[in-house]
Amino acid sequence: VIDKDLAGERMAEVLGVDLFMILTDVEKVKLNFGKPNEKEIDRMTVSEAKKYMEEGHFLPGSMGPKVKACIRFIEEAGGKAAIITHLEKALDALEGKTGTWIVPD
């Protein structure tokens, strides 16, 4: 099985882009998803993203591969930033109005 998020990251790497965007069905990545203390993330560093992954916030088969692809894009491809957001919010995210931005430390 080829993961679409990781495949998209490899494509971005090959194309040499600075910004990688994953469009999905949620506007922002969340901590404690589905719990009373759920919290949207506007921006996180690679280190924070790794920490949240280790804590189990991003499930495999859901947000986990998306966050992993963003981390890989920044660390391995030298990307400047990655964004995860809803398909219909792509332009707003590019303008910095929404989405979850993942940036280098």
Side-chain angles (χ1 to χ4, degrees), residues 28-95:
K28 295 183 181 184
V29 176
K30 298 177 183 178
L31 297 179
N32 302 310
F33 180 72
K35 298 178 182 174
N37 60 341
E38 180 178 278
K39 179 184 173 193
E40 291 183 336
I41 304 171
D42 295 322
R43 184 179 189 91
M44 63 181 155
T45 65
V46 167
S47 292
E48 290 170 327
K50 287 179 176 181
K51 176 182 161 242
Y52 296 145
M53 283 189 74
E54 289 173 10
E55 292 173 353
H57 287 284
F58 311 132
L59 300 176
S62 181
M63 198 54 68
K66 292 169 179 42
V67 173
K68 183 177 179 180
C70 292
I71 291 169
R72 190 167 79 181
F73 174 71
I74 292 169
E75 288 189 329
E76 296 181 21
K80 293 182 180 176
I83 307 168
I84 300 172
T85 196
H86 193 282
L87 173 64
E88 295 176 359
K89 298 290 184 170
L91 184 56
D92 287 340
L94 284 172
E95 294 173 347

Side-chain angles (χ1 to χ4, degrees), residues 4-32:
K4 65 187 178 308
D5 301 312
L6 297 174
E9 184 280 327
R10 285 294 182 217
M11 186 180 301
E13 185 176 340
V14 168
L15 292 172
V17 299
D18 293 331
L19 179 67
F20 176 53
M21 180 180 277
I22 294 179
L23 300 174
T24 187
D25 63 347
V26 296
E27 191 168 343
K28 295 183 181 184
V29 176
K30 298 177 183 178
L31 297 179
N32 302 310

